[in-house]
Amino acid sequence: MDLAYTAEEEAFREGLRSWLKAALPSLPPRPDPADWPARRAYDTAWQRRLYDAGYGAVHWDAPPAQRLIFLEETERAGAPYVGANFVGLLHAGPTVAAEGTPAQRDRWLQPILRGDEVWCQGFSEPGAGSDLASLRTRAVRDGDAYVVTGHKIWTSHAEVADWCELLVRTDPDAPRHRGITWLALPMDAPGVTVRPLRTLAGTAEFAEVFLDEVRVPAEFRVGAENDGWRVTLVTLSYERGTAFAGEVVACRRVLGEVARLARGNGRWDDTALRRRLGRLHAEFGALWRLVQWNVSEAQASRGAPGVGGSVFKLRYSHARQELYDAAAEVLGADALDADREWVADRLSSLAYTIAAGTSQIQRNIVAERILGLPKGR
């Protein structure tokens, strides 16, 4: 695989760089991180500007090199990341594009790309987090609708979402991976209750979602009834394979800032710290190469990212924690100041070894699907 950019790709970079230089100065100040309604308005307005400029669908259908250049340049310029649009843009939308009917693609994809509608993810449950196939939220077919009852948890952005990619059990007697269905749930449907959860970092990024006999039209089912596990694997492959790619670029920038601070405050004299930062530099460089490989492989196969996404997710989530641990070491006593840069990021980094499938789940996937080791159960 040739990882060098062509002249045409560099021309795309120059065009994007010029557009960002003109667009970013007119952005309003970023809202308070804890104010999710304001963050939704900010993030969706930025997505609309990208859409109007022709960059709205770059995560979906642009050539791999352009997608990578987009991540590099938006981070270099300090542009907003996807924010509240994370689920819709980076895995619900691609799932609908891959598995939805023509009518479903017409209904949901353009509103996501324009920033008109925000999605959340209703996968995790109190008794089914890492072991997703243990989910108990049930849906019973009643005429032209499913009646859904259950409880979801750790639902990112639920309080500001319009739609939820929802997993439900439609056949309780089937083997646990075969009785699941993937539905698009309108968050304003009667019977949906959202209760925000305050995290260690002090924001309400997550929520519990309670579903009390919620009627979901059958036409909102993506894929066949009881075939939701296969559709879910498509969603998870996007979530683990490419959805965190932009954050690797951000981590490389933060690592450079940490090194500069260490040189300025004397911490650079610590040989062990220098080795730690050097190893992280190599780690994030390798992760970016892995991102390039995953994106190129998905494009070459005209499908979703493969199990290489689990290798990426496993290493990235740990490297992110190690980065902010190193930042805390460089900050010294300032690491106890909640208003100091990187402190909230350090707290939120703890969730990365759980989000999108725990590290234990990723190790199982790597062992079974890449190394060919026998299943543990």
Side-chain angles (χ1 to χ4, degrees):
M1 182 175 64
D2 183 2
L3 299 179
Y5 293 123
T6 66
E8 182 180 356
E9 289 158 356
E10 290 296 347
F12 172 81
R13 182 193 301 278
E14 287 305 313
L16 173 60
R17 188 174 288 183
S18 297
W19 182 80
L20 288 168
K21 185 177 180 181
L24 289 176
S26 62
L27 274 180
R30 300 193 187 212
D32 185 328
D35 187 348
W36 273 97
R39 289 180 67 177
R40 173 192 160 123
Y42 183 90
D43 294 338
T44 54
W46 175 245
Q47 177 61 25
R48 183 55 186 255
R49 294 187 69 173
L50 289 171
Y51 178 85
D52 290 342
Y55 297 112
V58 71
H59 299 293
W60 293 4
D61 56 12
Q66 290 188 6
R67 294 158 68 182
L68 298 171
I69 289 171
F70 178 84
L71 294 174
E72 291 172 346
E73 290 302 315
T74 50
E75 172 58 28
R76 185 197 62 79
Y81 193 46
V82 290
N85 296 309
F86 182 89
V87 172
L89 274 174
L90 300 185
H91 47 85
T95 301
V96 171
E99 299 291 334
T101 65
Q104 290 172 339
R105 290 195 286 270
D106 288 343
R107 169 61 188 86
W108 289 315
L109 297 187
Q110 285 300 313
I112 292 173
L113 294 177
R114 289 195 303 263
D116 294 339
E117 293 180 345
V118 168
W119 286 60
C120 61
Q121 185 182 60
F123 282 14
S124 296
E125 297 184 6
S130 298
D131 187 9
L132 188 57
S134 297
L135 66 89
R136 295 180 179 177
T137 294
R138 58 186 172 85
V140 178
R141 184 69 180 259
D142 180 24
D144 60 357
Y146 291 95
V147 180
V148 181
T149 301
H151 177 194
K152 298 291 179 176
I153 198 168
W154 311 124
T155 307
S156 303
H157 314 149
E159 64 182 297
V160 295
D162 304 290
W163 294 89
C164 176
E165 52 179 16
L166 183 72
L167 291 187
V168 295
R169 186 162 296 285
T170 38
D171 185 351
D173 298 323
R176 60 197 199 116
H177 290 91
R178 297 179 184 172
I180 294 172
T181 298
W182 200 109
L183 299 177
L185 166 74
M187 291 297 287
D188 61 354
V192 177
T193 301
V194 176
R195 182 185 299 167
L197 295 169
R198 186 161 296 279
T199 69
L200 181 66
T203 68
E205 181 175 348
F206 301 117
E208 291 182 280
V209 178
F210 299 89
L211 305 162
D212 183 12
E213 298 189 344
V214 181
R215 293 186 69 85
V216 180
E219 63 187 282
F220 292 172
R221 185 190 69 227
V222 176
E225 184 173 297
N226 297 327
D227 192 33
W229 185 253
R230 185 189 60 78
V231 181
T232 300
L233 293 181
V234 174
T235 306
L236 294 177
S237 66
Y238 283 110
E239 185 177 16
R240 295 164 181 169
T242 55
F244 295 103
E247 298 184 26
V248 175
V249 184
C251 284
R252 296 178 79 178
R253 173 183 54 77
V254 171
L255 179 61
E257 294 172 357
V258 171
R260 280 191 289 276
L261 178 62
R263 290 189 182 95
N265 68 6
R267 295 290 295 129
W268 193 253
D269 295 336
D270 185 334
T271 302
L273 175 67
R274 291 204 307 273
R275 286 176 178 163
R276 188 177 188 183
L277 297 181
R279 186 178 55 76
L280 282 168
H281 177 76
E283 179 96 18
F284 283 113
L287 281 167
W288 184 244
R289 292 304 191 195
L290 185 54
V291 166
Q292 291 176 305
W293 187 84
N294 282 336
V295 170
S296 296
E297 285 295 297
Q299 182 76 12
S301 64
R302 297 183 179 278
V307 292
S310 288
V311 178
F312 169 81
K313 172 61 176 55
L314 178 62
R315 284 310 314 162
Y316 168 67
S317 55
H318 285 271
R320 184 183 176 93
Q321 287 186 2
E322 291 171 5
L323 167 63
Y324 286 105
D325 283 348
E329 187 175 340
V330 172
L331 285 171
D334 285 347
L336 300 176
D337 181 354
D339 295 327
R340 188 68 166 78
E341 188 178 20
W342 305 328
V343 174
D345 292 318
R346 186 188 185 206
L347 295 176
S348 65
S349 75
L350 300 175
Y352 277 70
T353 48
I354 300 173
T358 66
S359 292
Q360 288 81 1
I361 291 293
Q362 308 308 327
R363 289 191 181 94
N364 278 347
I365 293 172
V366 171
E368 295 169 4
R369 301 184 197 173
I370 296 179
L371 302 178
L373 299 177
K375 290 181 179 291
R377 54 181 177 173

